[in-house]
Amino acid sequence: MKFLKTIGIISDQGVGIGFSGPIATAFDSKNTAFVLNRGHEDQGSGNLFRVTVQTFEEKYLTEFATWYGDKPGDKKLNTPSDLEFDSNDHLYITDEVNNAVFIYDVEGSFIGQWGKYGNNEGEFSGPSGIAIDSKDSLYVVDQYNHRIQKFTKDGKYITSWGQIGNKPGEFNMPWGICVDAEDNIYVADWRNDRIQKFTKDGKYITSYGKTGSGKGELVRPSDVAVDAKGMIYISDWGNERVVVINQNGEYISSERGRSTLTTEWTNEFFESNVDERDTRAIANLIPDLPHHLQTPYHMSSQSEPLFWGITDLAIDQNGRLYVTELRRHRCQVYE
């Protein structure tokens, strides 16, 4: 993986340039990046929920689905989890607390929503990841019901599969999901420390990974992405890294992160905050840590270039991998 750039800067304003707890990224038909913000766990986050829209060149375009200026009658997001576009540039957002899927057009206008709490067909308990196949069928990770549900894009239930457990086809708090070029489904089976692969109808194909920190091993994987060549990218949340494997499950490489501060947004910030710029210039952003802090979490929390809290992987139309970091309020982009 070749590091290309970092996009992001923390923003607690709820509007304008910057991210606040970014949790997922998706791309419209023009390859514009839409980043879903979830806010901070230690703050009242409601006014920070929003979708921030910008280009790869870091041109900020707009934000929407905010608590500021939504049209009357639009229901507010409450702990959003993931987002994805269909072939008509309609954006679907899962919401854990509302147990619903919200729908917006590419301009950010609210279209509607569907879903409710429960464990019957078409109902949710903490929906998280969402993916859309080539036929515009939607796959929603029903996190606390430990299953995947498949819908039409207007919310009509088609089928579902999974239950709690660790056998093939079973899940334990799944989170992320993606679709490959052949419409196979990959699910980040979070608490089982593995990725499972299925047909579009939910037939089990195979699984990848086992618990651990070695090559090809995983601890609490949060998301998965598959590129045009079939290479599989896994956000290994517990190990604070991205793991790359092939379709046979063979380990290819892993990446811990190589972020820099050189971004358009940070440069603009430092132009008007010279004292902070100068202080950071002499700060040790990659400190030597004592032995008892040599864990992935502590190393990432203390070393700014490293990934910290990867929640989402997304591949744009140019084959660039966006690694969304909840805890550092940024996306690292790789080739």
Side-chain angles (χ1 to χ4, degrees):
M1 293 169 59
K2 177 184 177 182
F3 175 74
L4 297 178
K5 69 186 303 180
T6 299
I7 300 174
I9 188 172
I10 187 170
S11 170
D12 292 327
Q13 303 304 308
V15 293
I17 288 175
F19 303 140
S20 180
I23 196 165
T25 302
F27 306 94
D28 68 5
S29 60
K30 295 181 180 179
N31 211 27
T32 306
F34 290 65
V35 178
L36 182 63
N37 293 263
R38 188 167 173 145
H40 297 274
E41 295 178 356
D42 57 348
Q43 296 181 0
S45 299
N47 62 347
L48 300 177
F49 300 150
R50 66 188 186 278
V51 178
T52 305
V53 187
Q54 72 284 317
T55 66
F56 173 75
E57 293 76 23
E58 295 173 77
K59 179 181 179 182
Y60 167 79
L61 300 176
T62 188
E63 78 272 324
F64 61 89
T66 73
W67 278 46
Y68 301 102
D70 275 2
K71 297 177 182 178
D74 289 2
K75 191 172 182 181
K76 310 300 183 183
L77 295 174
N78 190 343
T79 318
S81 300
D82 198 7
L83 74 174
E84 190 59 82
F85 278 98
D86 69 10
S87 62
N88 295 316
D89 268 349
H90 288 164
L91 182 65
Y92 297 76
I93 300 177
T94 52
D95 190 300
E96 280 192 75
V97 173
N98 283 316
N99 290 293
V101 175
F102 288 73
I103 310 167
Y104 295 82
D105 67 22
V106 75
E107 303 298 330
S109 295
F110 179 77
I111 296 175
Q113 67 182 82
W114 45 264
K116 65 178 182 178
Y117 174 75
N119 56 18
N120 295 319
E121 292 181 355
E123 297 176 342
F124 299 119
S125 181
S128 53
I130 186 169
I132 301 178
D133 69 16
S134 63
K135 304 298 184 182
D136 276 347
S137 296
L138 275 65
Y139 302 82
V140 179
V141 178
D142 194 1
Q143 181 184 183
Y144 299 118
N145 284 325
H146 312 284
R147 65 184 179 184
I148 308 301
Q149 296 200 68
K150 181 178 180 179
F151 300 87
T152 65
K153 60 182 180 179
D154 59 357
K156 182 180 179 180
Y157 173 85
I158 298 175
T159 190
S160 64
W161 68 91
Q163 62 182 10
I164 189 167
N166 57 16
K167 296 177 181 178
E170 297 178 339
F171 303 106
N172 193 338
M173 294 180 65
W175 182 265
I177 189 169
C178 77
V179 178
D180 69 13
E182 298 178 349
D183 282 345
N184 294 309
I185 312 301
Y186 300 72
V187 180
D189 191 3
W190 192 74
R191 251 182 146 166
N192 281 327
D193 297 331
R194 65 186 179 184
I195 303 298
Q196 294 199 69
K197 180 180 179 181
F198 302 88
T199 68
K200 62 183 179 181
D201 299 315
K203 181 180 179 181
Y204 174 81
I205 298 175
T206 190
S207 63
Y208 307 101
K210 62 180 181 178
T211 304
S213 301
K215 292 183 177 181
E217 296 178 338
L218 307 169
V219 176
R220 304 299 188 259
S222 57
D223 201 19
V224 57
V226 181
D227 69 16
K229 296 181 180 179
M231 301 298 292
I232 303 168
Y233 302 81
I234 304 167
S235 54
D236 189 6
W237 168 278
N239 287 315
E240 303 284 1
R241 65 183 180 180
V242 174
V243 175
V244 187
I245 61 175
N246 64 20
Q247 287 289 327
N248 295 322
E250 297 166 335
Y251 172 87
I252 304 300
S253 66
S254 64
E255 176 63 53
R256 284 296 311 276
R258 285 177 271 175
S259 182
T260 69
L261 281 178
T262 307
T263 76
E264 293 295 328
W265 294 358
T266 53
N267 289 341
E268 181 177 320
F269 173 80
F270 288 139
E271 286 178 3
S272 55
N273 294 271
V274 177
D275 289 344
E276 182 163 348
R277 179 200 65 193
D278 294 343
T279 300
R280 291 176 69 85
I282 62 174
N284 182 8
L285 300 178
I286 314 176
D288 293 325
L289 299 178
H291 177 74
H292 69 284
L293 295 181
Q294 295 291 323
T295 68
Y297 176 87
H298 287 104
M299 293 171 66
S300 288
S301 68
Q302 300 298 315
S303 301
E304 187 158 283
L306 301 183
F307 297 133
W308 190 25
I310 307 171
T311 49
D312 183 81
L313 300 176
I315 299 174
D316 73 4
Q317 294 165 17
N318 292 322
R320 298 178 294 223
L321 178 71
Y322 281 61
V323 182
T324 305
E325 297 176 68
L326 179 76
R327 294 193 175 111
R328 282 227 160 83
H329 314 284
R330 68 189 181 191
C331 294
Q332 292 192 44
V333 188
Y334 290 78
E335 184 179 281

